[in-house]
Amino acid sequence: MNENAKAVAATQTKARIDADMMGIAGAVLLGLTLLFAAGFAQASILHDTAHDMRHAMSFPCH
Amino acid sequence: MLRQILTSAVFAGVAAGVLAALFQLWLVVPLIMEAELFESGQRVHFATDGSTQSDRSAPSVWAEPLRHVYTIGFSAVTFTAYAFFMVAGFALAARAGHVITLHRGLAWGLCGAIAVVIAPAVSMPPELPGAIGAEVGPRQMWYLTCVILTMLGLVQIAFDKRPRALITAPIFLLVPHIIGAPQLDTYFGVAPAELASEFVARVMGVALISWALLGLFTAYFWTRSEEA
């Protein structure tokens, strides 16, 4: 493998790793958003409809 | 990778969430509805006429079907959120060279139940409706802190082979309880103690089985989409 090909391979690996990290960060962000809406937001419509689930899942509810 | 994360989290989260809701509707929601009779004063324990006992019976879960549709929906959303965290963990573990199997998925799930329900319950037990607690904001902050520190402690036990993890992991696990959850200095509960203890025990049992299913499903969809 010449130097040029090595550099290309390294760049590709780096790009793949960065895309993986974006995916992981995206998953955490999506998880946080859903969790906040379902478990923690105090808006009364969310609180009332999610009420039984919050108690049953041991979130601090009210 | 992105497709693998999205599909395995959504499939596993919705499947585990719906099953978890069915367990809740069977074992936990009737106790919540029974506690609401005490919360609203329709049933009184230790009444002023001197009687110490009160009837034991939960309202039928079929009385308010729409309410339970919401519970199933929000359970699916919540477990999808948990599944997103779990696939993020899977992806990080895979990058570090760990292979995800169904058995390991099960272990991840049980650790999830410990971090999200059982450990926080040690200092802040799940509460029936009608229980009066400290302000909700600080309790939510303590709950999240406890969940994150417990997860860090469990990750160290599972993955950190350095000797110092033997010191740091227990510190992470114990610190939230040394600090302590926000509490009132008086008891306010209106529901019978038996009802409250039954509720807490069942919340933990349902959490264990729901999280075990979540771990299995997430590992199943994760490994399946890896092969595809």
Side-chain angles (χ1 to χ4, degrees), chain B residues 109-120 143 146-148 150-152 154:
Chain B
L110 293 174
C111 286
I114 293 172
V116 169
V117 177
I118 295 172
Y143 173 83
C146 180
V147 170
I148 291 166
T150 307
M151 277 181 185
L152 290 174
L154 292 173

Side-chain angles (χ1 to χ4, degrees), chain B residues 71-127:
Chain B
T71 301
I72 295 171
F74 273 103
S75 182
V77 173
T78 307
F79 273 90
T80 304
Y82 293 151
F84 272 114
F85 295 127
M86 199 177 280
V87 289
F90 281 2
L92 287 172
R95 279 165 59 101
H98 299 281
V99 181
I100 304 298
T101 62
L102 284 185
H103 277 97
R104 288 187 179 172
L106 182 62
W108 278 72
L110 293 174
C111 286
I114 293 172
V116 169
V117 177
I118 295 172
V122 170
S123 289
M124 200 170 70
E127 285 183 334

Side-chain angles (χ1 to χ4, degrees), chain B residues 12 15 22 25 27 32 46 62 76 78 85 87 98 102 107 124 140 156 162 169 175 178 186 195 197 199 215-216 222:
Chain B
L22 295 180
L25 287 174
L27 292 166
I32 292 176
F46 285 96
W62 304 109
T78 307
F85 295 127
V87 289
H98 299 281
L102 284 185
M124 200 170 70
Q140 288 179 328
Q156 292 199 324
R162 291 170 297 187
V175 155
I178 294 169
T186 41
L195 186 64
S197 58
F199 169 76
L216 279 175
W222 179 264

Side-chain angles (χ1 to χ4, degrees), chain B residues 24-201:
Chain B
Q24 287 165 6
L25 287 174
W26 170 31
L27 292 166
V28 178
V29 171
L31 303 180
I32 292 176
M33 295 173 78
E34 190 169 355
E36 282 173 347
L37 297 177
F38 292 94
E39 181 183 24
S40 62
Q42 291 174 64
R43 230 177 248 177
V44 181
H45 198 58
F46 285 96
T48 45
D49 66 4
S51 67
T52 51
Q53 77 272 40
S54 52
D55 292 338
R56 176 182 198 137
S57 67
S60 164
V61 288
W62 304 109
E64 298 173 70
L66 185 61
R67 170 175 176 171
H68 307 313
V69 173
Y70 291 138
T71 301
I72 295 171
F74 273 103
S75 182
V77 173
T78 307
F79 273 90
T80 304
Y82 293 151
F84 272 114
F85 295 127
M86 199 177 280
V87 289
F90 281 2
L92 287 172
R95 279 165 59 101
H98 299 281
V99 181
I100 304 298
T101 62
L102 284 185
H103 277 97
R104 288 187 179 172
L106 182 62
W108 278 72
L110 293 174
C111 286
I114 293 172
V116 169
V117 177
I118 295 172
V122 170
S123 289
M124 200 170 70
E127 285 183 334
L128 279 172
I132 296 179
E135 258 190 278
V136 69
R139 279 193 300 141
Q140 288 179 328
M141 281 306 299
W142 182 88
Y143 173 83
L144 282 177
T145 310
C146 180
V147 170
I148 291 166
L149 289 178
T150 307
M151 277 181 185
L152 290 174
L154 292 173
V155 164
Q156 292 199 324
I157 291 172
F159 296 110
D160 196 338
K161 300 295 176 225
R162 291 170 297 187
R164 72 161 196 221
L166 293 173
I167 312 280
T168 51
I171 291 176
F172 278 118
L173 295 175
L174 295 178
V175 155
H177 307 286
I178 294 169
I179 296 169
Q183 271 180 340
L184 297 178
D185 46 14
T186 41
Y187 293 120
F188 271 106
V190 289
E194 296 95 318
L195 186 64
S197 58
E198 196 176 355
F199 169 76
V200 170

Side-chain angles (χ1 to χ4, degrees), chain A residues 40 52-53 55 57 59 62, chain B residues 24 67 78 127 139-140:
Chain A
F40 293 91
D52 290 3
M53 184 282 294
H55 277 282
M57 299 289 297
F59 290 116
H62 40 62
Chain B
Q24 287 165 6
R67 170 175 176 171
T78 307
E127 285 183 334
R139 279 193 300 141
Q140 288 179 328

Side-chain angles (χ1 to χ4, degrees), chain A residues 8-53:
Chain A
V8 169
T11 314
Q12 279 172 346
T13 312
K14 189 162 180 298
R16 190 181 59 79
I17 287 172
D18 288 350
D20 285 359
M21 282 317 281
M22 289 297 285
I24 293 167
V28 171
L29 209 63
L30 266 169
L32 282 174
T33 311
L34 292 176
L35 192 65
F36 177 76
F40 293 91
Q42 288 295 313
S44 65
I45 176 83
L46 277 175
H47 173 273
D48 292 350
T49 45
H51 176 265
D52 290 3
M53 184 282 294

